[in-house]
Amino acid sequence: MASKEEKIDLILRPFRYDNDRLNDIMGRLHKEMEKGLKKETNPEATVKMLATYVRAVPDGTESGDFLALDLGGSNFRVLHVHIEKGAKDVRLQSDSYAIPESIMTGSGEQLFDYIADCMGKFLEKIEMKDKKMALGFTFSFPCKQQGLDCASLIKWTKGFSAAGVEGEDVVRLLRDAIKRRGDFDTDVVAVVNDTVGTMMACGLADHDCLIGLIVGTGSNACYMEKLDNVEIWEGDRGEPNQVVVNMEWGAFGEDGALDDLRTAYDREIDEHSINKGQQIYEKMISGMYMGELVRLVLLEMTKQMLVFGGRTSPDLETPGTFLTKYVSEIEECTYLREPIGDMGPTMKILHSLGLKHATETDCGTVREVCRAVSTRAAHLVSAGISAIVNKMGRERVAVGVDGSVYKYHPHFKELMTQTIDKLTHSDVKLMLSEDGSGKGAALVTAVACRLAGNS
Ligand code: BGC
């Protein structure tokens, strides 16, 4: 008979990756990247390697006042960004608006009217309704771009499903919504993915920042690729001989390439998601799913009488109740230890989920589950970044990173630094980008205005 510890280990073992496995994942992703970049194989590639029209990073001569919009998670942000020549950072003011689920899953017109409405409120507040500013739109979903200001949505991800937007140019939908109101005007110059915005924002402080990464509600990366390697590029091939490629790596595994690594819990998450069969790599990594993975593992452990004396609670049995932020909070105390006498964070969280019968030993097991799930995420992201770094072959490269999981998890950065170090020979620096995606959209806009000679 296996001991309790052995049974727990058996459940968690599939989440634990050694170096060989990580190297293997890197190889698989590298193959997909090549497939995505080549004209002939791109249609079957899961990792679409979307060419953006961003080809230059800020050179420090940009300046002016810009508006930026940031849509990609459960909050929508409007920003006013002031860029000064030569500055290592920008000045900004912004407001955040929650997007009700009814808007995320309603009609496209409702969604864009809501966006325009928030913009109107913001411009009124900062008293800039009469000033026509250039605008950068961070739209964090997979898009096929036909120009810097033209992007048709390929598919929704991350809980969005607003009808009538897939296949449409989101810049046109935004312009139409602004026109429908008629009380302010802007000049939409650029639409960018959040990974691109993040990379650009960090590029201001470090010119070697040529990779952008998001580990938040969703996950994705972009990097600067040589045009010669981008067969799918349809724009002009003049200087600069490079373009930022939005990988859309979240879709990796949609063809079964990760099937041997997926656990029963990963399959269950997918089964109950609104985009079944899609975004397989993302579902193993990002914040939208991390807490739910932990919940599913805990349910199985309860069933096997390994935790909570075999008794669940109605909350633990309800999807979505184990929030991803709990994973960070619980792992924080792995090192600080739970305070003696007072109830520690893990116990408090378990009590809030109706598990009043949890013991100190259970708290330890819950922490172990959180660590296994979040460590696997950090390992998968590190394998992804290392595949990019090795493909680029540079001696030094910086990665601009944003997203709630990376920002708030107590060990994610450290784990990534250690793992990337083992998987590459390059000097890789991870840079946290504060407000990167919105700021970056303004910077892309500023660069475009500079290149057009009208900044
Ligand atoms: C989207 C990407 C985005 C990522 C992070 C994914 O679901 O497809 O476009 O960059 O989330 O926000």
Side-chain angles (χ1 to χ4, degrees), residues 105 312 322 384:
T105 57
T312 61
F322 201 103

Side-chain angles (χ1 to χ4, degrees), residues 140-142 157-158 193-195 214 218-220 248 279 282:
S140 308
F141 301 94
T157 58
K158 296 178 289 196
N193 188 260
D194 50 357
T195 54
I214 303 285
S219 181
N220 186 19
E248 286 297 334
Q279 302 294 99
E282 173 165 276

